[in-house]
Amino acid sequence: MAMYDDFIRAINEKKVVEVMVDTEEKGLIKRKCVPFDFGPSRRGNDRREKFHFYDLDSPDGAHNLSITPEKLRDLKVTPETFEPCDYVKWEPNWFVQRDWGEFS
């Protein structure tokens, strides 16, 4: 699962990713995102595993974005880095282990 491996690498290296997502509403969309986690949603009844991102360039404004693996068409790790303190505003309880200091 190459996209999963790239996703984990982006988390560990604190790299922004570009994703291509197949949506029912808008068809294929391309977004620049911060990779957050992989696992089931902690809210709601949908317990399927998903890629969790923070969408940085949505026309609707920045927001959390959770994508099931079958909807994620492409993922590219960019050279752009991010600081977790700019995006993590809660007490994290990640499924994917990482070294983000106090945001781990």
Side-chain angles (χ1 to χ4, degrees), residues 5 9 13 17 39-40 50 56 59 64 80 83 87 89-90 92 97 102:
D5 293 340
R9 181 170 61 89
E13 295 178 4
V17 296
K50 298 176 183 169
L56 297 170
N64 290 331
E80 183 180 350
E83 287 301 323
Y87 302 100
K89 305 299 181 192
W90 65 92
Q97 298 298 309
E102 67 182 285

Side-chain angles (χ1 to χ4, degrees), residues 35-55:
F36 272 162
D37 207 8
F38 182 82
S41 295
R42 296 199 188 267
R43 294 181 277 173
N45 294 329
D46 185 354
R47 302 303 295 165
R48 292 180 294 168
E49 291 199 330
K50 298 176 183 169
F51 291 94
H52 301 279
F53 300 95
Y54 189 71
D55 185 342

Side-chain angles (χ1 to χ4, degrees), residues 21-41:
V21 182
D22 188 3
T23 69
E24 291 178 20
E25 309 83 29
K26 300 176 183 176
L28 282 176
I29 61 170
K30 185 177 180 181
R31 295 286 188 265
K32 185 167 79 167
C33 300
V34 170
F36 272 162
D37 207 8
F38 182 82
S41 295

